[in-house]
């Protein structure tokens, strides 16, 4: 009887464990990306698992290989967003700089995150749609985010980079404004997410900064202009000198206007 010995070169039709796990993770992530987009487009209650399956070109039962239900998908979307915030806070805290520097860094990172789908999931969905256990997890995490903003403000007051103020109220004002970005920002507009984040960082922190961004910019612009104004004009340089004097007057006027504007806002 001619017994055939299987060739050792024959590849197994089954993927290695690591490859199978990686493939499963990639499919799970694809479900989350499709789901969070649909939740944001249609609203959590209007979007169905059938809609998610249709967007992925799979059957609804296939989704249950990765998640037990829609509320679990919602919590996972939120969890990814919060993990990204945690990374922002950890990197900011590990870096150098004053309390104001760290507050602005976190403000930029957090604002930029609010322009992404997973960032929006932190502020666009109702906590009441989560299980009681997951709802408590979310509430605890939100308090940690609030604490980070408060701590940077308090640190800035201590090191002199931030004016004396109530860290709690200041943190609420900043975080509340940043969270609202997640409601109105749409990609493809005039400003990128990064541009919006940088603009908000300046506007939201200048009010409590000891030295505002505008004052710093004005001072840097005025000093070279004053130096030029004090230099005897060279032959053929009269027009350049006139321009320097005009720049000095404009800088001084801008500084005065800035102080009046801040006085009205107080």
């Amino acid at each position: 009887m001619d017994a055939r010995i299987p060739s050792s070169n024959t590849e197994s039709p089954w993927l290695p464990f690591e490859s199978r796990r990686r493939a499963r993770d990639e499919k799970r992530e694809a479900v989350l990306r499709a789901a969070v987009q649909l939740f944001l487009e249609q609203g959590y209650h209007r979007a169905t698992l059938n809609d998610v399956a249709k967007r992925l070109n799979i059957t609804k039962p296939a989704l249950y290989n990765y998640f037990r239900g829609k509320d679990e998908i919602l919590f996972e979307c939120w969890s990814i967003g919060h993990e990204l915030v945690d990374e922002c806070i950890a990197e900011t805290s590990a870096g150098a700089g004053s309390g104001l520097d760290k507050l602005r860094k976190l403000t930029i990172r957090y604002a930029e995150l609010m322009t992404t789908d997973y960032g929006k999931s932190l502020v666009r969905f109702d906590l009441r749609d989560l299980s009681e256990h997951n709802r408590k997890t979310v509430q605890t995490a939100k308090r940690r985010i609030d604490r980070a903003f408060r701590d940077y403000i308090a640190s800035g007051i201590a090191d002199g980079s931030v004016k004396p103020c109530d860290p709690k109220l200041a943190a609420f004002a900043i975080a509340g404004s940043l969270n609202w970005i997640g409601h109105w920002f749409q990609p493809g507009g005039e400003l990128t997410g990064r541009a919006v984040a940088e603009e908000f960082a300046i506007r939201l922190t200048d009010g409590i900064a000891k030295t505002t961004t505008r004052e710093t910019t004005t001072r840097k612009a005025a000093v070279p202009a004053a130096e030029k104004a004090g230099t005897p004009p060279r032959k053929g340089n009269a027009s350049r000198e006139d321009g320097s004097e005009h720049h000095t007057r404009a800088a001084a006027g801008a500084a005065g206007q800035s102080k009046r504007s801040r006085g009205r806002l107080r």
Side-chain angles (χ1 to χ4, degrees):
M1 193 172 176
D2 185 16
R4 295 181 180 275
I5 301 176
S7 172
S8 59
N9 293 327
T10 301
E11 294 184 0
S12 170
W14 302 102
L15 291 173
F17 174 74
E18 286 298 327
S19 297
R20 279 185 281 129
R21 186 173 67 176
R22 183 166 57 252
R24 178 180 173 80
D25 289 344
E26 290 173 354
K27 291 176 181 178
R28 193 172 186 273
E29 290 171 6
V31 171
L32 289 173
R33 285 195 300 270
V36 73
Q37 289 171 2
L38 279 167
F39 292 167
L40 292 170
E41 291 169 8
Q42 302 179 15
Y44 173 71
H45 291 287
R46 291 185 62 187
T48 66
L49 290 183
N50 279 327
D51 294 329
V52 176
K54 183 177 180 180
R55 179 161 291 193
L56 292 168
N57 198 28
I58 59 176
T59 63
K60 180 180 175 180
L63 293 176
Y64 291 102
N65 291 322
Y66 309 101
F67 299 99
R68 289 170 292 186
K70 195 167 75 164
D71 61 332
E72 184 178 356
I73 293 177
L74 179 67
F75 179 70
E76 285 298 318
C77 291
W78 179 90
S79 295
I80 292 174
H82 182 69
E83 286 174 6
L84 294 172
V85 176
D86 275 347
E87 291 175 5
C88 295
I89 295 173
E91 291 174 7
T92 301
S93 297
S98 65
L100 179 63
D101 291 334
K102 292 184 176 182
L103 176 63
R104 282 179 171 159
K105 288 177 184 176
L106 179 58
T107 299
I108 290 174
R109 295 288 302 279
Y110 190 86
E112 193 169 15
L113 180 60
M114 285 295 111
T115 67
T116 68
D117 288 345
Y118 288 124
K120 292 176 182 179
S121 71
L122 297 176
V123 296
R124 293 269 293 271
F125 303 135
D126 194 334
L127 295 185
R128 291 173 294 184
D129 292 321
L130 299 174
S131 67
E132 183 178 358
H133 176 267
N134 288 342
R135 187 163 58 248
K136 289 180 179 179
T137 300
V138 171
Q139 290 170 337
T140 299
K142 283 180 176 291
R143 286 193 289 270
R144 288 202 303 270
I145 295 173
D146 174 64
R147 175 54 59 188
F149 279 101
R150 291 195 205 183
D151 287 346
Y152 293 147
I153 294 170
S155 177
I157 295 173
D159 64 31
S161 60
V162 172
K163 298 174 185 177
C165 62
D166 185 330
K168 178 180 179 179
L169 291 180
F172 280 165
I174 293 173
S177 297
L178 297 178
N179 287 340
W180 196 245
I181 295 174
H183 291 270
W184 59 259
F185 181 84
Q186 293 295 331
E190 293 183 4
L191 295 176
T192 64
R194 181 70 180 187
V196 169
E198 291 176 346
E199 180 68 16
F200 266 64
I202 293 172
R203 292 182 180 275
L204 293 176
T205 60
D206 263 8
I208 62 173
K210 270 290 182 66
T211 302
T212 68
T213 304
R214 185 176 297 180
E215 287 175 332
T216 302
T217 303
T218 301
R219 189 177 299 117
K220 288 180 178 179
V223 170
E227 290 175 351
K228 290 181 180 179
T231 302
R234 294 176 295 178
K235 185 177 180 180
N237 198 38
S239 61
R240 191 178 303 173
E241 180 61 21
D242 291 343
S244 296
E245 291 177 354
H246 173 75
H247 181 78
T248 304
R249 289 195 299 271
Q257 185 179 10
S258 176
K259 290 179 181 178
R260 289 194 296 273
S261 299
R262 288 196 302 277
R264 288 196 297 269
L265 291 173
R266 287 196 183 96

